[in-house]
Amino acid sequence: MTFSRFDHECMATALRLARLGLFTAQPNPRVGCVIARDQQIVGQGWHRVTGGAHAEVEALKDAGKSAEGSTVYVTLEPCNHQGRTAPCVDALINVAVKRVVIACNDPNPLVNGSGVERLRAAGISVESGLMELQARELNPGFFKRMQEGLPWVRVKAAISLDGRTALESGASKWISSAESRHDVQRWRARSSAILTGIGTVLADNPNMNVRLPDVTGQPLKVIADSRWRTPPGSRILSKPGSALIFGDAALKIPSGLIDQGASCEPLDLQNGKLPLRSVLGVLAKLEINEVQVEAGATLCGALLGAGLVDEILLYQAPVLLGNGGAGPFSFGPLESMQDRTHLTVLETIHLGMDTRIRLRPE
């Protein structure tokens, strides 16, 4: 299918609009919409917050009477079901738009092609696939949750040039620069949950919240704690944000955790360990799209070894920490070089003196 230069420009604008919902649209997808007539943009909108108007409705409102006979560019297939809001296809049909250009189909089983079918049945021309990859990259967690029943898992780690995340003593503040730590905050803000392990809670007593002036929502703080050892006074249990602890179903949940307001999810252990796929499955049922893992080498290595890591954010500082310190992933030893984990580098950028490398397992 051939799209014009103007088509590309309009969809690129719709994608930029969609990014405005990066921190606020979850658990819904980030969606942007542009309406054009006679090679001129007459309406724009994006999905701001769950329960609020969808991008198409916002753009139609912005376009007003100019929407009739227009071309609509939207980064995700318009919905055709009654959810928290009315179906967007009805709004498009009611104003008699002429053409709808979609970046990608909605993987939600309640939509997944039915929106396109409804529009075409109403006599509206529908074309799809324009800048599809970019649209999917905006919503990796939404797509994975809908298609696999699991959230997108992103592991964050700060390392030295010699691959250490801490000194032999365990001291790790601060390996990375202030610029890197600010960048981590923005990745936290786009995540639906932050996952850590009990080792990190006991060693560092982290808060794991988002500390950005322009962000009000907080990700769910999730702790993998098989023996329910999280101290009730831990900072991670404090506001802002809520906490969810996964532990052994065979052990009694300490009343102090309940009194502290933490939610506790008992699971049957497998070989003495929490079943990580089940942990992620529970999070998906809670409509968690993206999980950022900020944990020690044991939990990060277990996720990687189980094939549950989708992406890695590696912040490398120009420092050397010497022998004895841990690395970001604990697994192996490997028997052969054929067993290496291969990663694809997506991007490399500089943050202050640090280098951030974004990778995905092949």
Side-chain angles (χ1 to χ4, degrees), residues 103-283:
C104 55
N105 280 8
D106 190 334
N108 187 339
L110 296 174
V111 186
N112 198 16
S114 65
V116 170
E117 291 175 2
R118 178 79 185 285
L119 291 170
R120 286 176 175 160
I124 298 171
S125 172
V126 181
E127 301 166 41
S128 62
L130 176 58
M131 304 180 77
E132 178 177 1
L133 180 60
Q134 295 93 320
R136 291 178 64 94
E137 282 292 312
L138 265 178
N139 295 294
F142 180 77
F143 273 84
K144 189 178 180 187
R145 179 166 66 87
M146 289 297 168
Q147 293 171 334
E148 301 180 35
L150 294 172
W152 183 266
V153 176
R154 181 183 295 112
V155 172
K156 166 262 171 182
I159 65 169
S160 62
L161 283 177
D162 48 352
R164 313 296 185 187
T165 59
L167 299 175
E168 184 177 17
S169 65
S172 61
K173 293 185 178 180
W174 295 100
I175 294 175
S176 58
S177 66
E179 292 87 349
S180 291
R181 297 195 297 274
H182 179 79
D183 189 65
V184 170
Q185 288 288 317
R186 298 193 69 81
W187 284 96
R188 274 188 188 180
R190 67 170 287 168
S191 304
S192 306
I194 307 297
L195 171 62
T196 194
I198 182 59
T200 298
V201 172
L202 295 176
D204 299 336
N205 192 23
N207 194 304
M208 293 292 185
N209 61 355
V210 175
R211 298 179 291 275
L212 294 174
D214 57 337
V215 176
T216 56
Q218 291 289 334
L220 178 67
K221 297 182 280 190
V222 182
I223 309 166
D225 179 11
S226 58
R227 289 185 283 162
W228 308 107
R229 291 188 294 154
T230 301
S234 299
R235 295 176 63 200
I236 200 168
L237 303 182
S238 64
K239 301 294 182 183
S242 301
L244 172 61
I245 306 173
F246 287 90
D248 187 356
L251 299 178
K252 182 180 178 181
I253 300 172
S255 59
L257 296 179
I258 304 297
D259 295 340
Q260 199 70 25
S263 298
C264 297
E265 184 73 28
L267 293 175
D268 294 327
L269 302 190
Q270 296 177 358
N271 298 319
K273 301 181 182 298
L274 282 171
L276 295 177
R277 182 173 290 272
S278 297
V279 167
L280 296 176
V282 170
L283 295 181

